Amino acid sequence: MSLNVNEIRSQFPILQRETATGARVVYLDSTATSQKPLAVIEAMNDYYRRSNANIHRGVHTLAEEATALYEEARVKVANFIHAPHPQQIIYTRNTTESINLVAYTWGRANLKMGDLVILTEMEHHSNLVPWHMLQAERDIRLEFIPVRADFTLDLDAYRALLEQGPKLVSFTHMSNVLGTINPAREIIRLAHDVGAVTVVDGAQSVPHFAVDVQDLDADFLGFSAHKMCGPTGIGALYGKMDLLDEMPPFLGGGDMIKEVKLRSFRPNTLPHKFEAGTPAIAEAVGFGAAVDYLLSVGMDAIAEHEHQITEYALDRLEEIPGVKLFGPTADKKGGVAAFTLDGVHPHDVAQILDRDGVAVRAGHHCAQPLHEKFGIPATSRASFYLYNTKDEVDMLVNGIYKVKELFG
Ligand code: PLP
């Protein structure tokens, strides 16, 4: 299965522009956020032009249309990850908020002093800090599945941790630095064997390959629209029905209630119980359009394309003297290539590449503990999506040779 990259690129207006130096935009930063196709931009534009109104509260035509669009998008998002029911999709602002929602509601209702939560050493700060905050409040215990020398998780160490009877296992499906795709189904099965609840950080998996929550048997899964061709400001939390049903609400206010008295309230049914206040309506419409768009290209075709680009990028980057790559072999990872270049700070690498329009990210990529483990403050990171080409990888590689020349 192959995809027509030229055709795809033509649907992303931003890829047609030039930078201030007249260079073509070579966007290798989709792990941070993806670009948006016309289908998404136009869906949001149409919404504001034709249907804008507040949802769930009006009987007039526009309110009904806006509500229908908002809820239709939820159905699309639910189907995209094979959720049994759209009620199991809670709109959030992003993956970060999805994980915070679980920590805040499920965590506070179910975790007490001394309870064990297992995370991994390769987590994004979004899947660390919410648990740190809960630890400060509840004195829960945190343990971490180590990352091995081959940049994969040490599952033997995980099995040993499971013997301590964790209440929760929360882990990233795919690392945003190493690109490592973790064996989510197995991690979840082992957690369930000891009665632990699981949270999957799907920020980097859901945009890049087909994810089926029923097949994974995930209890919770969070992801962000902006990383999957959709807008910023909206994401989703999937949860198993019984868990979501039992959880107390997150934020309080309009829409999340069934009834309010001066001194009390009754929460609404799912999913509204977790969606207080006027939500990101146009963004939900854009989220739905992004899902339609990705499905029209085909998730397997996208994954295969990214695999080919990544394999090529790793081969070419490996050839460059002084480049050290962080991450497993291409067969175990998604479209991310984090690297250091001897004697040059990663920020300098990124800045010099930018002169030729090559956009990569430099820093700790919100995974400071992982970088600390490797004894480095930062890496440069190129990341790939459905619109990237081998030609762009060549531009990255040529750019790195230029950096080497500049730094002698
Ligand atoms: N988890 C991972 C693995 C990520 O890569 C990111 C973002 O880069 C996040 C969580 C947080 O996503 P967001 O900033 O959209 O909440």
PDB file of all heavy atoms in Angstrom, residues 44-56:
ATOM      1  N   MET A  44     -13.727  23.901   9.527  1.00  0.00           N
ATOM      2  CA  MET A  44     -13.849  24.864  10.631  1.00  0.00           C
ATOM      3  C   MET A  44     -14.356  26.208  10.118  1.00  0.00           C
ATOM      4  O   MET A  44     -15.180  26.869  10.756  1.00  0.00           O
ATOM      5  CB  MET A  44     -12.505  25.012  11.344  1.00  0.00           C
ATOM      6  CG  MET A  44     -12.098  23.724  12.034  1.00  0.00           C
ATOM      7  SD  MET A  44     -10.483  23.791  12.792  1.00  0.00           S
ATOM      8  CE  MET A  44     -10.823  24.845  14.203  1.00  0.00           C
ATOM      9  N   ASN A  45     -13.851  26.576   8.948  1.00  0.00           N
ATOM     10  CA  ASN A  45     -14.290  27.818   8.302  1.00  0.00           C
ATOM     11  C   ASN A  45     -15.806  27.763   8.022  1.00  0.00           C
ATOM     12  O   ASN A  45     -16.553  28.674   8.365  1.00  0.00           O
ATOM     13  CB  ASN A  45     -13.485  27.954   7.008  1.00  0.00           C
ATOM     14  CG  ASN A  45     -13.505  29.353   6.461  1.00  0.00           C
ATOM     15  OD1 ASN A  45     -14.442  30.091   6.732  1.00  0.00           O
ATOM     16  ND2 ASN A  45     -12.497  29.720   5.699  1.00  0.00           N
ATOM     17  N   ASP A  46     -16.244  26.664   7.449  1.00  0.00           N
ATOM     18  CA  ASP A  46     -17.674  26.470   7.138  1.00  0.00           C
ATOM     19  C   ASP A  46     -18.514  26.531   8.400  1.00  0.00           C
ATOM     20  O   ASP A  46     -19.603  27.082   8.399  1.00  0.00           O
ATOM     21  CB  ASP A  46     -17.918  25.083   6.514  1.00  0.00           C
ATOM     22  CG  ASP A  46     -17.603  25.082   5.040  1.00  0.00           C
ATOM     23  OD1 ASP A  46     -17.289  26.165   4.500  1.00  0.00           O
ATOM     24  OD2 ASP A  46     -17.652  23.988   4.442  1.00  0.00           O
ATOM     25  N   TYR A  47     -17.993  25.920   9.444  1.00  0.00           N
ATOM     26  CA  TYR A  47     -18.746  25.915  10.704  1.00  0.00           C
ATOM     27  C   TYR A  47     -19.011  27.345  11.152  1.00  0.00           C
ATOM     28  O   TYR A  47     -20.141  27.701  11.504  1.00  0.00           O
ATOM     29  CB  TYR A  47     -17.995  25.121  11.791  1.00  0.00           C
ATOM     30  CG  TYR A  47     -18.599  25.365  13.148  1.00  0.00           C
ATOM     31  CD1 TYR A  47     -19.786  24.732  13.509  1.00  0.00           C
ATOM     32  CD2 TYR A  47     -18.037  26.288  14.025  1.00  0.00           C
ATOM     33  CE1 TYR A  47     -20.395  25.006  14.719  1.00  0.00           C
ATOM     34  CE2 TYR A  47     -18.645  26.572  15.233  1.00  0.00           C
ATOM     35  CZ  TYR A  47     -19.816  25.928  15.584  1.00  0.00           C
ATOM     36  OH  TYR A  47     -20.426  26.218  16.774  1.00  0.00           O
ATOM     37  N   TYR A  48     -17.974  28.177  11.143  1.00  0.00           N
ATOM     38  CA  TYR A  48     -18.163  29.567  11.589  1.00  0.00           C
ATOM     39  C   TYR A  48     -19.021  30.363  10.608  1.00  0.00           C
ATOM     40  O   TYR A  48     -19.780  31.233  10.993  1.00  0.00           O
ATOM     41  CB  TYR A  48     -16.800  30.254  11.794  1.00  0.00           C
ATOM     42  CG  TYR A  48     -16.188  29.932  13.136  1.00  0.00           C
ATOM     43  CD1 TYR A  48     -14.914  29.382  13.230  1.00  0.00           C
ATOM     44  CD2 TYR A  48     -16.895  30.169  14.313  1.00  0.00           C
ATOM     45  CE1 TYR A  48     -14.352  29.082  14.459  1.00  0.00           C
ATOM     46  CE2 TYR A  48     -16.342  29.867  15.552  1.00  0.00           C
ATOM     47  CZ  TYR A  48     -15.064  29.336  15.622  1.00  0.00           C
ATOM     48  OH  TYR A  48     -14.521  29.034  16.845  1.00  0.00           O
ATOM     49  N   ARG A  49     -18.897  30.043   9.332  1.00  0.00           N
ATOM     50  CA  ARG A  49     -19.687  30.785   8.342  1.00  0.00           C
ATOM     51  C   ARG A  49     -21.160  30.391   8.368  1.00  0.00           C
ATOM     52  O   ARG A  49     -22.030  31.198   8.108  1.00  0.00           O
ATOM     53  CB  ARG A  49     -19.136  30.526   6.933  1.00  0.00           C
ATOM     54  CG  ARG A  49     -17.883  31.315   6.633  1.00  0.00           C
ATOM     55  CD  ARG A  49     -17.228  30.784   5.366  1.00  0.00           C
ATOM     56  NE  ARG A  49     -16.115  31.616   4.986  1.00  0.00           N
ATOM     57  CZ  ARG A  49     -16.197  32.656   4.159  1.00  0.00           C
ATOM     58  NH1 ARG A  49     -17.344  32.972   3.628  1.00  0.00           N
ATOM     59  NH2 ARG A  49     -15.142  33.373   3.877  1.00  0.00           N
ATOM     60  N   ARG A  50     -21.450  29.116   8.646  1.00  0.00           N
ATOM     61  CA  ARG A  50     -22.813  28.610   8.463  1.00  0.00           C
ATOM     62  C   ARG A  50     -23.546  28.233   9.743  1.00  0.00           C
ATOM     63  O   ARG A  50     -24.752  28.419   9.843  1.00  0.00           O
ATOM     64  CB  ARG A  50     -22.770  27.341   7.594  1.00  0.00           C
ATOM     65  CG  ARG A  50     -22.598  27.562   6.117  1.00  0.00           C
ATOM     66  CD  ARG A  50     -22.657  26.219   5.385  1.00  0.00           C
ATOM     67  NE  ARG A  50     -23.788  25.395   5.811  1.00  0.00           N
ATOM     68  CZ  ARG A  50     -25.038  25.541   5.398  1.00  0.00           C
ATOM     69  NH1 ARG A  50     -25.317  26.474   4.518  1.00  0.00           N
ATOM     70  NH2 ARG A  50     -26.001  24.747   5.840  1.00  0.00           N
ATOM     71  N   SER A  51     -22.821  27.658  10.701  1.00  0.00           N
ATOM     72  CA  SER A  51     -23.538  26.930  11.759  1.00  0.00           C
ATOM     73  C   SER A  51     -23.240  27.390  13.169  1.00  0.00           C
ATOM     74  O   SER A  51     -23.727  26.786  14.121  1.00  0.00           O
ATOM     75  CB  SER A  51     -23.201  25.435  11.662  1.00  0.00           C
ATOM     76  OG  SER A  51     -23.297  25.000  10.335  1.00  0.00           O
ATOM     77  N   ASN A  52     -22.405  28.409  13.340  1.00  0.00           N
ATOM     78  CA  ASN A  52     -21.950  28.758  14.685  1.00  0.00           C
ATOM     79  C   ASN A  52     -23.089  29.118  15.650  1.00  0.00           C
ATOM     80  O   ASN A  52     -23.907  30.006  15.369  1.00  0.00           O
ATOM     81  CB  ASN A  52     -20.975  29.934  14.614  1.00  0.00           C
ATOM     82  CG  ASN A  52     -20.520  30.363  15.993  1.00  0.00           C
ATOM     83  OD1 ASN A  52     -20.023  29.537  16.751  1.00  0.00           O
ATOM     84  ND2 ASN A  52     -20.727  31.612  16.341  1.00  0.00           N
ATOM     85  N   ALA A  53     -23.118  28.418  16.773  1.00  0.00           N
ATOM     86  CA  ALA A  53     -24.053  28.713  17.873  1.00  0.00           C
ATOM     87  C   ALA A  53     -23.575  27.891  19.054  1.00  0.00           C
ATOM     88  O   ALA A  53     -22.742  26.987  18.882  1.00  0.00           O
ATOM     89  CB  ALA A  53     -25.472  28.298  17.503  1.00  0.00           C
ATOM     90  N   ASN A  54     -24.096  28.207  20.240  1.00  0.00           N
ATOM     91  CA  ASN A  54     -23.710  27.351  21.369  1.00  0.00           C
ATOM     92  C   ASN A  54     -24.524  26.054  21.295  1.00  0.00           C
ATOM     93  O   ASN A  54     -25.620  26.016  20.749  1.00  0.00           O
ATOM     94  CB  ASN A  54     -23.905  28.069  22.702  1.00  0.00           C
ATOM     95  CG  ASN A  54     -22.863  27.604  23.723  1.00  0.00           C
ATOM     96  OD1 ASN A  54     -22.378  26.475  23.638  1.00  0.00           O
ATOM     97  ND2 ASN A  54     -22.520  28.449  24.651  1.00  0.00           N
ATOM     98  N   ILE A  55     -23.937  25.000  21.854  1.00  0.00           N
ATOM     99  CA  ILE A  55     -24.542  23.665  21.688  1.00  0.00           C
ATOM    100  C   ILE A  55     -25.401  23.291  22.888  1.00  0.00           C
ATOM    101  O   ILE A  55     -25.297  23.905  23.940  1.00  0.00           O
ATOM    102  CB  ILE A  55     -23.452  22.594  21.486  1.00  0.00           C
ATOM    103  CG1 ILE A  55     -22.447  22.655  22.644  1.00  0.00           C
ATOM    104  CG2 ILE A  55     -22.770  22.765  20.154  1.00  0.00           C
ATOM    105  CD1 ILE A  55     -21.593  21.425  22.754  1.00  0.00           C
ATOM    106  N   HIS A  56     -26.208  22.247  22.686  1.00  0.00           N
ATOM    107  CA  HIS A  56     -26.968  21.578  23.755  1.00  0.00           C
ATOM    108  C   HIS A  56     -27.975  22.478  24.467  1.00  0.00           C
ATOM    109  O   HIS A  56     -28.573  22.063  25.422  1.00  0.00           O
ATOM    110  CB  HIS A  56     -26.025  21.008  24.832  1.00  0.00           C
ATOM    111  CG  HIS A  56     -25.148  19.898  24.321  1.00  0.00           C
ATOM    112  ND1 HIS A  56     -23.929  19.609  24.887  1.00  0.00           N
ATOM    113  CD2 HIS A  56     -25.288  19.016  23.304  1.00  0.00           C
ATOM    114  CE1 HIS A  56     -23.357  18.603  24.255  1.00  0.00           C
ATOM    115  NE2 HIS A  56     -24.168  18.227  23.285  1.00  0.00           N
TER     116      HIS A  56
END
